Amino acid sequence: MTSDILTRVEGRTGVISLNRPAAIHALTTPMCQAMTEALTRWVDDPAIDAVMIDHAEGRGFCAGGDIRMLATSGAADGAEAREFFFVEYRLNHLLFVYPKPVIAFMDGITMGGGVGLSLPSRYRIATENTRFAMPETGIGLFPDVGGGWFLSRLPGRVGQFLALTGARLDGAECHALGLATHYLPAEKLAEAKQRIAAAPNDVDAILAELSVEAPEARILGNREQIDRLFAADRYEDILAALEAEGSDWSAKELKTLSTKSPQTCKVALRQLKEGAQMPDFAAEMRQEYAIGARVVQMHDFIEGVRALIIEKDNAPRWKPDTAEGVTEALLDTIFAPLPEDQAWTPLEIAR
């Protein structure tokens, strides 16, 4: 088992601690495998009543996935990238259907893969350190790990706004939108974990007692503009609405969107539209795996990682470079189901 994941039993809980601090605990395939093994081991263990997921030392919670590996693989045959997505999405789904309560401590950066660990969990604890985002449009990927399910179910058009802009939310905003179930001061987390470990069946009462009133959520002040200007499922219509608005806020969001991959933005809008209609989370993950298996080998992802992570010139050259250039035919190709022998499947334990 990789030392990037620490697992232990405390009281009547299983504890999973992410332990890759130099990368802000970004996930690798072995890390996802180790977490899946621990969860599988504990699912029928009568001594374990709940599971807690946190990060060990350093800044947390989890900054995403191993983007460099994905891009390197995508530039070759994509096999290693597909394996990562397959294993990671099985973990996301296992957390979603896990029969015992899972408590995720989103204390710090919670992006991409970190979102995939926390949002499927029954209890999601935000703090003053929480920085939540799905920033994939900036690197030409797409808001995966269940983004099509979770973001499409946020109030109004907030999910579409987050998926397109990659906006970062603080802990108070996460709590106000329901992304987090509780807001605790970071200094109370150790006490919360200790008490939950001793009496996991009292988790609701413990978290209620230690919760504090969250600060004002800034995003709520922008809800009217978000719901009105991001109302369309067609990306060109959103850009036109922001242009026509002519306000400082719309100009700022237009400037942000001008840096994003048009292909990824269109993928995200379609993904959320279809995700809202998915019959279950497994169906969502199956579709996201098909999308991921393709976009990881496409120009925009490899170029986005080059520009933002490898060479850091922050000047990606997207192809197509306009919303109009991303055709419905291209999207149909990206969203097409994979052949049955290549498709994603959930773990047997999680069916």
Side-chain angles (χ1 to χ4, degrees):
M1 184 170 290
T2 174
S3 60
D4 290 343
I5 293 294
L6 305 176
T7 62
R8 62 193 183 279
V9 173
E10 291 188 4
R12 296 196 59 80
T13 63
V15 182
I16 296 172
S17 293
L18 307 179
N19 187 42
R20 196 178 171 225
I24 319 180
H25 313 290
L27 302 177
T28 62
T29 303
M31 290 170 72
C32 294
Q33 289 168 331
M35 285 186 273
T36 300
E37 288 167 10
L39 289 164
T40 302
R41 190 167 66 247
W42 292 331
V43 73
D44 293 321
D45 188 339
I48 303 295
D49 290 331
V51 174
M52 295 190 284
I53 304 177
D54 64 8
H55 71 278
E57 61 178 301
R59 292 192 301 157
F61 164 63
C62 172
D66 190 350
I67 295 297
R68 281 176 180 262
M69 177 278 288
L70 293 175
T72 301
S73 173
D77 62 3
E80 193 177 356
R82 289 192 294 274
E83 180 192 18
F84 173 74
F85 287 140
F86 197 93
V87 172
E88 182 187 26
Y89 295 1
R90 279 190 158 186
L91 172 61
N92 302 147
H93 180 260
L94 177 58
L95 287 166
F96 189 92
V97 299
Y98 206 66
K100 298 179 180 182
V102 179
I103 305 102
F105 293 90
M106 305 156 61
D107 181 40
I109 293 172
T110 305
M111 297 184 185
V115 173
L117 294 179
S118 54
L119 290 195
S121 300
R122 191 180 309 179
Y123 299 93
R124 305 174 297 279
I125 316 305
T127 74
E128 69 273 18
N129 299 324
T130 301
R131 294 294 179 272
F132 177 104
M134 291 295 280
E136 289 80 8
T137 53
I139 57 168
L141 194 56
F142 73 110
D144 66 335
V145 294
W149 179 278
F150 296 113
L151 296 180
S152 67
R153 286 162 174 76
L154 290 179
R157 297 293 287 185
V158 168
Q160 287 76 9
F161 169 75
L162 296 177
L164 292 175
T165 65
R168 297 188 178 195
L169 303 180
D170 62 25
E173 292 173 304
C174 288
H175 185 253
L177 293 172
L179 293 162
T181 58
H182 297 78
Y183 185 90
L184 269 65
E187 64 184 21
K188 290 289 187 181
L189 295 186
E191 179 184 350
K193 294 172 189 177
Q194 185 178 19
R195 290 176 61 181
I196 292 169
N201 291 330
D202 296 334
V203 60
D204 287 291
I206 293 166
L207 291 175
E209 181 184 333
L210 295 177
S211 291
V212 297
E213 185 174 349
E216 185 176 346
R218 187 168 55 101
I219 196 170
L220 296 185
N222 294 324
R223 270 293 307 279
E224 187 276 329
Q225 296 171 93
I226 289 171
D227 290 351
R228 179 166 50 85
L229 300 176
F230 285 77
D233 285 323
R234 187 171 174 268
Y235 188 41
E236 292 91 335
D237 294 343
I238 291 175
L239 295 175
L242 290 167
E243 185 80 46
E245 180 76 2
S247 66
D248 289 346
W249 186 86
S250 65
K252 178 172 70 75
E253 299 308 328
L254 259 181
K255 184 177 180 181
T256 295
L257 291 175
S258 73
T259 68
K260 310 300 185 184
S261 158
Q263 173 187 290
T264 306
C265 289
K266 284 202 166 183
V267 167
L269 284 173
R270 179 159 167 177
Q271 177 195 354
L272 266 62
K273 182 179 180 181
E274 296 187 5
Q277 308 300 322
M278 284 292 173
D280 54 41
F281 193 62
E284 175 63 32
M285 300 315 295
R286 187 177 174 95
Q287 181 179 72
E288 291 190 13
Y289 180 73
I291 298 169
R294 294 190 176 100
V295 299
V296 78
Q297 289 196 269
M298 296 177 76
H299 168 273
D300 273 16
F301 176 58
I302 295 165
E303 169 64 7
V305 174
R306 179 206 65 77
L308 277 79
I309 294 175
I310 298 174
E311 296 181 15
K312 293 185 167 64
D313 61 17
N314 292 314
R317 295 178 290 274
W318 306 122
K319 293 181 184 176
D321 61 359
T322 64
E324 292 79 9
V326 183
T327 64
E328 286 300 310
L330 175 60
L331 293 176
D332 288 345
T333 301
I334 292 172
F335 277 77
L338 290 171
E340 206 57 43
D341 62 343
Q342 299 174 29
W344 180 87
T345 58
L347 281 167
E348 288 296 331
I349 193 174
R351 288 188 186 276

